[in-house]
Amino acid sequence: MRALGVGLIGTGYMGKCHALAWNAVAPVFGDVPRPRLAMLCEVDPALATRRAGELGFARATADWRALVADPEIDVVSITTPNAFHAEMALAALEAGKHVWCEKPMATSLADAQAMARAAATARSVAALGYNYIQNPAIRLAAKLIAEGTIGRISHAGIEMDEDFMADPAAPFSWKSQAASGHGALDDFGVHAFSLLTLLLGETRAVMADMAKPYHERPLAEGGTRAVETHDVASLLLRFASEASGLVALNRSAWGRKGRIALQVFGARGTISFDQERLNEIELYLAEGPTDRQGFRRILSGPTHPPYDRFIPAPGHGLGFNELKIIECRELLRAIAGEPAHLVDFAAGLRIERIVEAAARSFDEARWVTL
Amino acid sequence: MRALGVGLIGTGYMGKCHALAWNAVAPVFGDVPRPRLAMLCEVDPALATRRAGELGFARATADWRALVADPEIDVVSITTPNAFHAEMALAALEAGKHVWCEKPMATSLADAQAMARAAATARSVAALGYNYIQNPAIRLAAKLIAEGTIGRISHAGIEMDEDFMADPAAPFSWKSQAASGHGALDDFGVHAFSLLTLLLGETRAVMADMAKPYHERPLAEGGTRAVETHDVASLLLRFASEASGLVALNRSAWGRKGRIALQVFGARGTISFDQERLNEIELYLAEGPTDRQGFRRILSGPTHPPYDRFIPAPGHGLGFNELKIIECRELLRAIAGEPAHLVDFAAGLRIERIVEAAARSFDEARWVTL
Amino acid sequence: MRALGVGLIGTGYMGKCHALAWNAVAPVFGDVPRPRLAMLCEVDPALATRRAGELGFARATADWRALVADPEIDVVSITTPNAFHAEMALAALEAGKHVWCEKPMATSLADAQAMARAAATARSVAALGYNYIQNPAIRLAAKLIAEGTIGRISHAGIEMDEDFMADPAAPFSWKSQAASGHGALDDFGVHAFSLLTLLLGETRAVMADMAKPYHERPLAEGGTRAVETHDVASLLLRFASEASGLVALNRSAWGRKGRIALQVFGARGTISFDQERLNEIELYLAEGPTDRQGFRRILSGPTHPPYDRFIPAPGHGLGFNELKIIECRELLRAIAGEPAHLVDFAAGLRIERIVEAAARSFDEARWVTL
Amino acid sequence: MRALGVGLIGTGYMGKCHALAWNAVAPVFGDVPRPRLAMLCEVDPALATRRAGELGFARATADWRALVADPEIDVVSITTPNAFHAEMALAALEAGKHVWCEKPMATSLADAQAMARAAATARSVAALGYNYIQNPAIRLAAKLIAEGTIGRISHAGIEMDEDFMADPAAPFSWKSQAASGHGALDDFGVHAFSLLTLLLGETRAVMADMAKPYHERPLAEGGTRAVETHDVASLLLRFASEASGLVALNRSAWGRKGRIALQVFGARGTISFDQERLNEIELYLAEGPTDRQGFRRILSGPTHPPYDRFIPAPGHGLGFNELKIIECRELLRAIAGEPAHLVDFAAGLRIERIVEAAARSFDEARWVTL
């Protein structure tokens, strides 16, 4: 069988992350054929050529449609700005390619719906880049919950904070334009929803508030412009399981760099996690002598798959990029027809529905049922 | 001038805490006359006598009205179950006594209103036991915010978790009865509101959800009984300053023993705190070289008044009980006619209004403006 | 029986700490008769009178011998500079009084030996102020070790850092004079030895290094003076049990305010503690499924005696001063002829022998066996 | 210019780590030509072939001498058991190849000396695998120290704990045989010395103790065998700078998985780090208002080179394997004749001399000067 041909569209933050994963997935996992890095697409042809050299792709193009159409390409990594996801993913599925598309899925629910519809009838795999669910620590959390270790879940909270919009003196950018979406809610909130869905199941209803820490921002050319998006979003949730939840999103949170602080409360214990310390998970079990109960800090190690494929020693630490390598392995599993731990387009659409319900809830100041 | 005569009603958890404060306030602060511990009231006369001996009170009674009427009593500590607060406080104010009443103020808004009205016309001091605002670390937070160190505040969150209701096998108690109030919202949520009011000012509107982790609980005599209160309450807030906020309350949170995790986000920095580590506060300042910015963990010390009155060495740690000693000192300040850092009955009523608005918001599934 | 008459010598840092304990011990514990605060001694008569008023002592004196001789005094708290401990303790024991003397015991081994000899033949109690061993968290550690929960102990380390000597620009003080002792080794290192003795038993041999972070310090009057003491001391230890150990002492450690970081390694687990978070202890047990093993952070609570005498709710936090109240209760136990958890003069002498052996080891650059 | 030809000897823990680095170095850094993964050597020919496929090497062999001699090989990664390092490195240098050899350098000082001699006269690069010094957080520490940010260094401590030898029931293995070396001292202590050398400079004298937590271990075939190595080693150090230091090594430390807890104390501040949280470094500066001084937790980010080559967003976390990729980049720099941040064989020999001095110190129970 010929090696899987990979096409990569986009070479920014996530484009490089995909490229690193495609380079590393075979050496790390060993049990998967080495993919062929066939073609890379970047808008500027010169940059495309340079990046292809750096990232190990055989050919370069500035025409993403050419990449999608190329017979050597079996799977397309889509890492462009969100507004392009739908068009590219639809074209790739249409061309019979597997698709690995970065989150969020699309910039409108209609687009996401179209993508999910296309994926439902396609014979290829369509997966989204929700890499945080690949963390061995998060997988342990999911396993412990599924096995009932902390009992029936009653409540969960997740707080997601970064500070890339925290500086009020930073010039107005596209992230403050309504065209980019709602703001914190879809810009990075979707990660929170992917984690909650994994750990607690589907969301049934949502009540949202959104806020603008800064109402205007300076323009590079002088003067200011009104901010159209919301850097803060706060949500009350009800899950299908009847558990309740809370999501706090803030991209103007000075000092937080990648905080995704998660807590899941059950009838027999609690799980706590923070993405800024992605190799640690805390577990409290209401069992044994009460004078020695406490939150235990579990360091990721070889007993938390697939950590062992990276390092045989515990507590040595995986990095953010390595979560994407795991995701890539799951994608290869799915392509091979094996069960895979992924957010496919159908699941991605359910996440987009939460976003849309939250936005509506905010607009109408009321609970919205999904 | 004769020493201030103290009467204490109640000798449970908070009664003992008040008694310890009355014993310690003069030795700790030095600059205040030693109060006379004149009389203690406890329902059971024998217990009253025993506790008076232990806690250093000269006389004991089982009749709180006698205590309130006693001419030797200048100030009354009210630490009984919440349902008695209003009646006792009103009687004490009527008798011209100063009142130091535990939180929450009362079990109905009407009672709280009556108390605030009585206090408004009384010539004596009426204060509530919101001891967490006395923490030198919290006072530092308030000072930093007031001085603009972290800039204009855009958002704040507070999470308050304990696990005293977390065991589903624990028998049904009065805490699960509607007569005790709403549950987490008023049982301990009021502390959160006192902190947010100190740091962010008045609350303008609230949207609340409440939940029952366990719908029934076992009865000691066999069978089960439906739970009437909500161990979980989650609130979205809008402050008068236009800042937004979030409050998460959970008294069924396994493993959390006294968590009050607070975050305040400003235009120039962030403050973070957790009551389980009450001698630490974290401060992030967006200033100086970016490669060395980070949350700094500030340990309470003599530069954070009034820590220095307890210990001259930094980082040695105050305890929960010592916050009450500080509160007692503030009460003495108020009685002496000096400016004091206290929640008086007028401020307490504003907290009760938040509780009432939140409960209404939950009932009507909509935002309620205060 | 008449109430125990208390005499306090010294009203500085530890003098106030003793006074607070004497005021609080009866209200906190309830099961002990309230002591009479009979007399206080301070060098300056006016200050003595003022402090007596503040701290609740009936009489004041500037003559410590008068205090020791006073028939109303049953127990003498000695909190003066270390150089006076021996003379005062010997006089008090001679006068038949109980003695509660702050650590370190004395400034020479000969003095400590004389004190221990006097205590051995006295009919009164002679105890030292090693309050850190009173911490409920430390008592839990001792209990877990004694019960074999972490198996046979192979190794322990303790690191004790503060920064009160860290500023090289601070003027030369008596703490840099040889007359004050060796420096970090005896100034605060003795606390480390009291903890290690509690948890691991007697020390058999020691190898020490000492260092001067700053070789001279500025004089207030201009110029500099050579530093005679060592702010840093590092020790290798062998215990009678054959366990090995390590002690790191540093009083020029910028940023550390009260760090006493302890680790005890056993065949089945590990215990970890830091005095800067005195209400937490960490326990690792090599048991149960390996994928959920981790250090558990245990918060002090009512199941860790005598925390319950202070606060009925877990995780609310004791403070440094409250450890002294526990110590005071233990002293009262000893005076009542009950078994008590204390460092008496015999045990204190063994600690001083470690200090002396360490100093000799450093001078002679060799292991010294005790 | 033809691409650099890489030969890898060994495919265990560190072999795979090297292979991952060789695969990733070009995509991550972009500014370096992609190396040719030319040949891999593993003792078992079948395994060699399989691993070559997995790890992306063109050819496989079971004969390391063939690999070293192969004209297509320019650089040899040596990741075999320590006993083979010297022979292989010498052969590779002799053949004119660049050498990238895992730590520790060799199993005898004589071997290390021979290696350093060979490297001194070779025209190729000879580097050792001390990857912890590549951590952007550690580089920041080195930079801050070099720039004088925390002032002149007076003292440093490092504690290195893992638990891979902690189970007394684990069967006797080669790690307990004297032939494997001293135990903790050289097995992993060398990492500590590489860090201290980077941050504090050369070591002048050492005083060591070593201990055996378990004196015998069970044999697989029944019975027990005496343990010959020391799982615990504790060292007092004096640096050429006159700073003092402490090293605590323990490979029987239950619960510690990759702890390398480092503290460096200076005249103006302190730096603290723990490898179990490798993306964080703590910095205390004695500057600014005292009421807001504290250890700041700095999360690695793009301002800490070369973090930015991996991820453009701060606080997202690098992993252990990625430190090896950075080391690989430094090796390529050195091969290109550029200044590189590496431990070369001369520096490696100085580390081995510390090991040898420590072992001698323990044998002779005295300080040994280097």
Side-chain angles (χ1 to χ4, degrees):
Chain A
M1 203 185 91
R2 77 163 194 180
L4 197 76
V6 177
L8 169 66
I9 313 180
T11 65
Y13 180 176
M14 293 315 297
K16 183 165 180 176
C17 191
H18 277 235
L20 294 177
W22 283 119
N23 272 278
V25 66
V28 167
F29 281 92
D31 57 356
V32 51
R34 205 175 180 84
R36 274 179 310 110
L37 308 196
M39 195 188 294
L40 172 154
C41 172
E42 184 51 80
V43 182
D44 173 343
L47 183 61
T49 302
R50 205 177 94 211
R51 291 277 182 260
E54 290 168 12
L55 300 174
F57 283 76
R59 291 180 290 151
T61 178
D63 175 6
W64 68 265
R65 292 188 183 279
L67 183 148
V68 163
D70 195 283
E72 292 229 330
I73 303 292
D74 301 303
V75 54
V76 181
S77 272
I78 301 174
T79 71
T80 54
N82 307 339
F84 298 96
H85 289 182
E87 186 180 13
M88 291 173 174
L90 289 170
L93 288 173
E94 173 103 9
K97 314 297 191 187
H98 305 293
V99 172
W100 187 17
C101 180
E102 266 313 301
K103 45 64 42 188
M105 203 168 173
T107 47
S108 77
L109 189 63
D111 278 353
Q113 286 169 319
M115 291 165 79
R117 268 195 310 270
T121 56
R123 302 190 50 174
S124 53
V125 170
L128 292 160
Y130 284 102
N131 51 327
Y132 293 134
I133 65 166
Q134 304 298 345
N135 186 339
I138 291 294
R139 287 187 175 198
L140 173 63
K143 174 171 169 276
L144 293 172
I145 292 169
E147 290 176 353
T149 306
I150 62 165
R152 203 180 138 274
I153 306 307
S154 55
H155 187 72
I158 195 161
E159 184 196 329
M160 203 168 160
D161 295 323
E162 297 197 21
D163 67 1
F164 58 91
M165 300 294 280
D167 187 355
F172 189 96
S173 79
W174 62 272
K175 282 196 177 281
S176 293
Q177 280 185 283
S180 73
H182 306 287
L185 176 63
D186 44 346
D187 185 27
F188 68 175
V190 290
H191 275 304
F193 304 135
S194 75
L195 290 164
L196 288 174
T197 302
L198 172 65
L199 301 176
L200 276 92
E202 298 303 319
T203 297
R204 188 172 54 77
V206 59
M207 170 77 215
D209 189 24
M210 297 206 272
K212 295 174 183 172
Y214 315 119
H215 287 274
E216 32 189 43
R217 286 186 177 274
L219 286 165
E221 61 270 28
T224 61
R225 178 169 164 186
V227 168
E228 298 158 9
T229 54
H230 294 88
D231 294 343
V232 171
S234 305
L235 293 82
L236 310 177
L237 297 184
R238 289 291 178 146
F239 295 92
S241 70
E242 289 306 312
S244 58
L246 208 71
V247 173
L249 307 167
N250 190 347
R251 59 184 193 178
S252 286
W254 270 124
R256 301 302 181 196
K257 306 302 180 182
R259 179 173 170 93
I260 308 182
L262 169 75
Q263 284 187 105
V264 182
F265 298 103
R268 285 206 287 274
T270 296
I271 287 172
S272 168
F273 171 82
D274 181 355
Q275 176 75 18
E276 283 186 1
R277 288 176 172 165
L278 70 90
N279 292 285
E280 301 178 18
I281 194 156
E282 292 197 317
L283 172 66
Y284 183 93
L285 294 179
E287 66 178 33
T290 53
D291 67 354
R292 63 195 68 169
Q293 289 180 7
F295 274 91
R296 59 184 81 176
R297 184 170 70 100
I298 303 169
L299 289 172
S300 292
T303 60
H304 310 114
Y307 178 101
D308 59 311
R309 308 315 304 253
F310 293 86
I311 315 168
H316 279 52
L318 300 187
F320 170 85
N321 283 338
E322 288 167 314
L323 306 186
K324 191 57 83 178
I325 302 174
I326 302 175
E327 189 176 84
C328 188
R329 175 66 186 93
E330 295 296 328
L331 177 69
L332 294 178
R333 258 193 235 278
I335 290 174
E338 297 161 23
H341 178 64
L342 277 175
V343 174
D344 63 18
F345 278 19
L349 177 58
R350 291 195 293 274
I351 291 174
E352 299 298 326
R353 285 195 196 283
I354 302 174
V355 169
E356 197 269 343
R360 192 136 46 87
S361 164
F362 171 61
D363 286 343
E364 304 176 6
R366 63 171 185 86
W367 280 90
V368 171
T369 301
L370 280 108
Chain B
M1 201 185 91
R2 76 163 194 179
L4 196 77
V6 177
L8 169 66
I9 313 180
T11 63
Y13 180 175
M14 292 315 297
K16 182 165 181 177
C17 190
H18 276 235
L20 294 177
W22 283 119
N23 273 279
V25 67
V28 167
F29 282 91
D31 57 356
V32 53
R34 205 176 180 81
R36 274 180 309 108
L37 308 196
M39 196 188 293
L40 172 155
C41 173
E42 183 52 77
V43 183
D44 172 344
L47 183 62
T49 302
R50 207 177 93 210
R51 290 277 181 261
E54 290 168 11
L55 300 173
F57 283 77
R59 289 178 292 150
T61 178
D63 175 7
W64 69 265
R65 293 189 182 277
L67 183 149
V68 163
D70 194 285
E72 293 229 330
I73 302 293
D74 301 303
V75 54
V76 181
S77 273
I78 301 174
T79 71
T80 53
N82 307 340
F84 298 95
H85 289 183
E87 185 180 14
M88 291 173 175
L90 290 170
L93 289 173
E94 172 104 8
K97 313 298 192 189
H98 305 294
V99 172
W100 188 16
C101 180
E102 266 313 301
K103 44 66 42 186
M105 202 167 173
T107 46
S108 77
L109 188 63
D111 279 352
Q113 285 169 319
M115 290 164 78
R117 269 196 309 270
T121 56
R123 302 189 51 173
S124 53
V125 170
L128 292 160
Y130 284 102
N131 52 327
Y132 292 134
I133 66 167
Q134 304 298 344
N135 187 338
I138 290 294
R139 287 185 174 198
L140 173 63
K143 173 171 169 278
L144 293 172
I145 292 169
E147 290 175 353
T149 307
I150 63 166
R152 199 181 141 276
I153 306 306
S154 56
H155 187 72
I158 196 161
E159 184 196 329
M160 201 168 162
D161 296 323
E162 297 198 22
D163 66 1
F164 57 90
M165 299 294 280
D167 187 355
F172 188 96
S173 79
W174 63 273
K175 281 196 178 279
S176 293
Q177 280 184 284
S180 73
H182 305 288
L185 176 62
D186 44 347
D187 184 27
F188 70 175
V190 290
H191 274 304
F193 303 135
S194 74
L195 290 164
L196 288 174
T197 302
L198 171 65
L199 302 175
L200 275 92
E202 298 302 320
T203 297
R204 187 172 54 77
V206 59
M207 169 76 214
D209 189 23
M210 297 206 271
K212 295 174 183 171
Y214 315 118
H215 287 274
E216 34 189 41
R217 285 187 179 274
L219 287 165
E221 61 269 31
T224 62
R225 179 170 164 185
V227 168
E228 297 158 10
T229 54
H230 294 87
D231 294 343
V232 171
S234 305
L235 292 82
L236 309 176
L237 297 185
R238 288 290 177 148
F239 295 92
S241 69
E242 288 307 310
S244 58
L246 207 71
V247 173
L249 306 167
N250 190 347
R251 58 182 193 179
S252 287
W254 270 124
R256 301 302 181 197
K257 306 301 182 184
R259 180 175 171 91
I260 308 182
L262 169 76
Q263 283 187 107
V264 182
F265 299 103
R268 284 206 288 273
T270 296
I271 287 173
S272 167
F273 170 81
D274 181 355
Q275 175 75 18
E276 283 186 0
R277 288 175 171 166
L278 68 92
N279 292 285
E280 303 180 15
I281 194 154
E282 292 197 318
L283 171 66
Y284 184 95
L285 294 178
E287 67 178 33
T290 53
D291 68 353
R292 64 194 71 170
Q293 288 180 8
F295 275 91
R296 58 185 81 176
R297 184 171 71 99
I298 303 169
L299 288 173
S300 292
T303 60
H304 309 114
Y307 178 101
D308 58 310
R309 308 315 306 252
F310 293 86
I311 315 169
H316 279 52
L318 300 186
F320 170 86
N321 284 337
E322 287 167 315
L323 306 185
K324 190 58 81 178
I325 301 174
I326 303 175
E327 189 177 84
C328 188
R329 175 68 187 92
E330 295 297 326
L331 177 69
L332 294 177
R333 260 192 233 278
I335 289 173
E338 297 161 23
H341 178 65
L342 275 176
V343 174
D344 63 17
F345 278 19
L349 177 59
R350 291 196 292 275
I351 291 175
E352 298 298 326
R353 285 195 196 283
I354 303 174
V355 169
E356 198 269 344
R360 192 138 45 89
S361 164
F362 171 61
D363 286 343
E364 304 176 5
R366 62 172 185 85
W367 280 90
V368 170
T369 301
L370 279 109
Chain C
M1 203 185 90
R2 77 164 194 180
L4 197 77
V6 177
L8 169 66
I9 313 180
T11 63
Y13 180 176
M14 292 315 298
K16 182 166 180 176
C17 190
H18 276 234
L20 295 177
W22 284 119
N23 272 279
V25 66
V28 166
F29 281 92
D31 57 356
V32 51
R34 205 176 180 83
R36 273 179 311 109
L37 309 195
M39 196 187 293
L40 172 155
C41 172
E42 184 50 80
V43 182
D44 172 343
L47 183 62
T49 302
R50 205 177 93 211
R51 290 279 181 259
E54 291 169 11
L55 300 174
F57 283 77
R59 290 180 291 151
T61 179
D63 176 5
W64 69 263
R65 292 190 183 278
L67 183 148
V68 164
D70 195 284
E72 292 229 332
I73 302 292
D74 301 303
V75 54
V76 181
S77 272
I78 302 174
T79 72
T80 54
N82 307 339
F84 297 96
H85 289 182
E87 187 180 12
M88 291 173 174
L90 289 170
L93 289 173
E94 173 102 10
K97 314 296 192 190
H98 305 293
V99 172
W100 187 17
C101 180
E102 265 314 301
K103 45 64 41 189
M105 202 168 173
T107 48
S108 77
L109 188 62
D111 278 353
Q113 286 169 320
M115 291 164 79
R117 267 195 309 270
T121 56
R123 301 191 50 174
S124 53
V125 171
L128 293 160
Y130 284 103
N131 52 327
Y132 292 134
I133 65 166
Q134 304 298 344
N135 186 338
I138 291 294
R139 287 186 175 198
L140 173 64
K143 173 170 170 277
L144 292 172
I145 291 170
E147 290 176 353
T149 306
I150 63 165
R152 202 180 139 274
I153 306 306
S154 56
H155 187 73
I158 195 160
E159 184 196 329
M160 202 169 159
D161 296 323
E162 297 197 21
D163 67 1
F164 57 91
M165 299 295 280
D167 188 355
F172 188 96
S173 79
W174 62 272
K175 281 196 178 280
S176 293
Q177 280 184 283
S180 74
H182 306 287
L185 176 63
D186 44 346
D187 184 27
F188 68 174
V190 291
H191 274 305
F193 303 135
S194 75
L195 289 165
L196 288 174
T197 302
L198 171 65
L199 301 175
L200 276 92
E202 298 302 320
T203 297
R204 187 172 54 77
V206 59
M207 169 76 215
D209 190 24
M210 297 206 272
K212 295 174 183 171
Y214 315 119
H215 287 274
E216 32 190 42
R217 285 185 178 274
L219 287 165
E221 61 270 29
T224 61
R225 178 168 165 186
V227 168
E228 297 157 10
T229 54
H230 294 87
D231 293 344
V232 171
S234 305
L235 292 81
L236 309 177
L237 297 184
R238 288 290 176 145
F239 295 92
S241 69
E242 289 306 311
S244 58
L246 207 71
V247 173
L249 307 167
N250 190 347
R251 58 184 193 177
S252 286
W254 270 125
R256 301 302 180 196
K257 306 301 181 183
R259 179 173 171 92
I260 308 182
L262 169 76
Q263 284 187 105
V264 182
F265 298 104
R268 284 206 288 274
T270 296
I271 287 172
S272 167
F273 170 82
D274 181 355
Q275 176 75 18
E276 283 186 359
R277 288 175 172 166
L278 69 91
N279 292 285
E280 301 179 17
I281 195 155
E282 291 196 318
L283 171 67
Y284 183 93
L285 294 178
E287 67 179 32
T290 52
D291 67 353
R292 63 196 69 169
Q293 289 179 7
F295 274 91
R296 59 185 81 177
R297 185 170 71 100
I298 303 169
L299 289 172
S300 292
T303 60
H304 309 114
Y307 178 102
D308 59 310
R309 307 316 304 254
F310 293 85
I311 314 168
H316 280 52
L318 299 187
F320 170 85
N321 283 338
E322 287 167 314
L323 305 186
K324 190 58 82 179
I325 302 174
I326 303 176
E327 189 177 83
C328 188
R329 175 65 186 94
E330 294 296 326
L331 177 69
L332 294 177
R333 259 192 234 278
I335 290 173
E338 296 161 23
H341 178 65
L342 276 175
V343 174
D344 63 19
F345 277 20
L349 177 59
R350 291 195 294 273
I351 291 174
E352 299 299 326
R353 285 195 197 283
I354 303 175
V355 169
E356 198 270 343
R360 191 137 46 86
S361 163
F362 171 60
D363 286 343
E364 304 176 6
R366 62 170 185 87
W367 280 90
V368 171
T369 301
L370 281 107
Chain D
M1 201 186 92
R2 77 163 194 181
L4 196 78
V6 177
L8 169 66
I9 313 180
T11 63
Y13 180 175
M14 292 314 297
K16 182 165 180 177
C17 190
H18 277 235
L20 295 177
W22 284 119
N23 272 279
V25 67
V28 167
F29 281 92
D31 57 357
V32 52
R34 206 177 179 80
R36 274 179 311 107
L37 280 45
M39 196 187 294
L40 173 155
C41 173
E42 183 52 77
V43 183
D44 173 342
L47 183 62
T49 302
R50 207 177 92 210
R51 290 276 181 262
E54 291 168 11
L55 301 173
F57 283 77
R59 290 178 291 151
T61 179
D63 175 6
W64 69 264
R65 293 190 181 277
L67 183 149
V68 164
D70 195 286
E72 293 230 330
I73 303 293
D74 301 303
V75 54
V76 181
S77 272
I78 301 174
T79 71
T80 52
N82 307 340
F84 298 95
H85 290 182
E87 186 180 14
M88 291 173 175
L90 290 169
L93 289 173
E94 172 103 8
K97 314 297 191 187
H98 305 293
V99 171
W100 188 17
C101 180
E102 266 313 301
K103 44 67 41 186
M105 202 167 173
T107 47
S108 77
L109 188 63
D111 278 352
Q113 286 168 319
M115 291 163 79
R117 269 195 309 270
T121 57
R123 302 191 51 174
S124 53
V125 171
L128 292 161
Y130 284 102
N131 52 327
Y132 293 134
I133 66 167
Q134 305 297 344
N135 186 339
I138 291 294
R139 287 186 174 199
L140 173 63
K143 174 171 169 278
L144 293 172
I145 291 169
E147 290 175 353
T149 307
I150 62 165
R152 201 181 139 276
I153 307 306
S154 56
H155 187 72
I158 195 161
E159 183 196 329
M160 201 168 161
D161 295 323
E162 296 198 21
D163 66 0
F164 57 90
M165 300 294 280
D167 187 355
F172 188 96
S173 78
W174 62 272
K175 282 197 178 278
S176 293
Q177 279 184 283
S180 73
H182 305 287
L185 176 62
D186 44 347
D187 184 26
F188 70 175
V190 290
H191 274 304
F193 304 135
S194 74
L195 290 164
L196 288 174
T197 302
L198 171 65
L199 301 175
L200 275 92
E202 297 303 319
T203 297
R204 188 172 54 76
V206 59
M207 169 76 214
D209 189 23
M210 297 206 271
K212 295 174 184 172
Y214 315 118
H215 288 274
E216 34 189 42
R217 284 187 179 273
L219 287 165
E221 60 269 31
T224 63
R225 179 169 164 184
V227 168
E228 297 158 9
T229 55
H230 294 87
D231 293 343
V232 171
S234 305
L235 291 82
L236 310 176
L237 296 184
R238 288 289 178 148
F239 295 92
S241 69
E242 289 306 311
S244 58
L246 206 72
V247 173
L249 306 167
N250 190 347
R251 58 183 193 178
S252 286
W254 270 125
R256 301 301 182 198
K257 306 301 181 183
R259 179 174 171 92
I260 307 182
L262 170 75
Q263 283 187 108
V264 182
F265 299 103
R268 284 207 288 273
T270 296
I271 287 173
S272 166
F273 171 81
D274 181 355
Q275 176 74 20
E276 283 186 0
R277 288 175 171 165
L278 69 91
N279 292 285
E280 303 179 16
I281 194 154
E282 292 197 318
L283 172 66
Y284 183 95
L285 294 177
E287 66 179 33
T290 53
D291 67 353
R292 63 195 71 170
Q293 288 179 8
F295 274 91
R296 59 185 80 175
R297 184 171 71 100
I298 303 169
L299 289 173
S300 292
T303 61
H304 310 113
Y307 178 101
D308 59 311
R309 309 314 305 254
F310 293 86
I311 314 168
H316 279 52
L318 300 187
F320 170 86
N321 283 337
E322 287 165 316
L323 306 186
K324 191 57 81 178
I325 301 174
I326 303 175
E327 189 177 84
C328 187
R329 176 66 187 93
E330 295 297 326
L331 178 70
L332 295 177
R333 259 193 235 278
I335 290 173
E338 297 161 24
H341 177 65
L342 275 176
V343 174
D344 63 17
F345 278 20
L349 177 59
R350 290 196 293 276
I351 290 174
E352 299 299 326
R353 285 195 197 283
I354 303 174
V355 169
E356 197 270 343
R360 192 138 44 89
S361 164
F362 171 61
D363 285 344
E364 304 176 5
R366 62 171 186 87
W367 280 90
V368 171
T369 301
L370 279 109

